[in-house]
Amino acid sequence: LMSVCATGDVIGTTTTHDSGDGTYIRGDKIHSGLTGYVREITEGTRPTLEVYRANFKPSVVPVPGNQVICKVTKVNPRAATVKIVCVDDTPLGNDFPGLIRQLDVRQTQVDEVEIYKCFRPGDIVRAEVISLGDKKSYYLSTAKNELGVIFAQSVAGATMVPISWDLMQCPKTKITEHRKVAKVDL
């Protein structure tokens, strides 16, 4: 018998069952840790309750060489902090933190790169994973023509239009802003 449950629902008690995947214990009650279906597994000495999702796909994790889509969250003089939201063509269930360092923005004149002229918070960027980086973030690169900002909003709230590899223009105000623009094949 499959029963549907929501996060936090009491699905059993520790006096009769063990807690399995997708569950947690509070007091002597077993609670669902996610919305899904309750399953009783009767292997071993005591039955185990677990909660699973029917259409669950194993999570995708970025690895070096993957192209990713990410959103810029913070910019400082040395790097742009991003959250990775898509790996290749697969949207992620969880965001992964990433970092585009000054030396990984473009291939030439690396020492002249000014991060705030390449990325702004809110920009959507196509990048490539170059390494797992430090404990906190994946290191990403935009040092290829097809990598860089693919979507940006102007101060006026309009979607900006790329006009060169390093400039985007607001269609409303005609003001240009610097970005490391991704070359998009049309």
Side-chain angles (χ1 to χ4, degrees):
L1 179 75
M2 278 198 305
S3 64
V4 177
C5 62
T7 306
D9 285 357
V10 175
I11 59 170
T13 172
T14 56
T15 57
T16 57
H17 290 84
D18 286 332
S19 172
D21 292 343
T23 67
Y24 63 94
I25 297 171
R26 182 170 290 147
D28 66 344
K29 304 275 190 267
I30 300 173
H31 294 262
S32 171
L34 49 105
T35 300
Y37 299 95
V38 179
R39 176 168 40 205
E40 185 178 43
I41 298 166
T42 53
E43 297 169 8
T45 55
R46 278 168 42 116
T48 301
L49 290 176
E50 69 175 28
V51 178
Y52 68 98
R53 291 192 173 121
N55 59 353
F56 177 74
K57 294 183 188 108
S59 61
V60 176
V61 177
V63 294
N66 282 143
Q67 280 208 0
V68 296
I69 304 295
C70 45
K71 184 174 185 172
V72 178
T73 55
K74 201 165 66 178
V75 174
N76 70 42
R78 292 190 316 277
T81 304
V82 301
K83 60 181 183 183
I84 300 169
V85 296
C86 196
V87 174
D88 294 322
D89 294 327
T90 309
L92 299 174
N94 301 334
D95 299 336
F96 289 92
L99 205 60
I100 304 170
R101 299 173 299 178
Q102 181 180 11
L103 60 116
D104 299 320
V105 171
R106 62 179 187 230
Q107 291 171 321
T108 58
Q109 302 167 321
V110 173
D111 51 333
E112 294 175 23
V113 170
E114 295 177 71
I115 291 286
Y116 67 89
K117 285 189 173 181
C118 299
F119 310 106
R120 301 271 171 88
D123 287 357
I124 305 298
V125 175
R126 180 183 295 123
E128 187 174 293
V129 178
I130 50 176
S131 75
L132 301 178
D134 58 23
K135 289 183 182 112
K136 295 187 208 87
S137 300
Y138 286 87
Y139 286 158
L140 308 177
S141 169
T142 57
K144 291 181 181 171
N145 288 344
E146 69 272 15
L147 304 176
V149 176
I150 55 175
F151 174 84
Q153 269 193 317
S154 69
V155 179
T159 300
M160 304 226 307
V161 179
I163 54 173
S164 74
W165 70 271
D166 68 341
L167 283 176
M168 292 184 109
Q169 184 176 41
C170 173
K172 282 184 183 174
T173 63
K174 303 298 182 206
I175 293 173
T176 59
E177 293 181 23
H178 287 276
R179 295 290 199 283
K180 195 300 183 179
V181 179
K183 182 181 179 192
V184 180
D185 295 327
L186 300 173

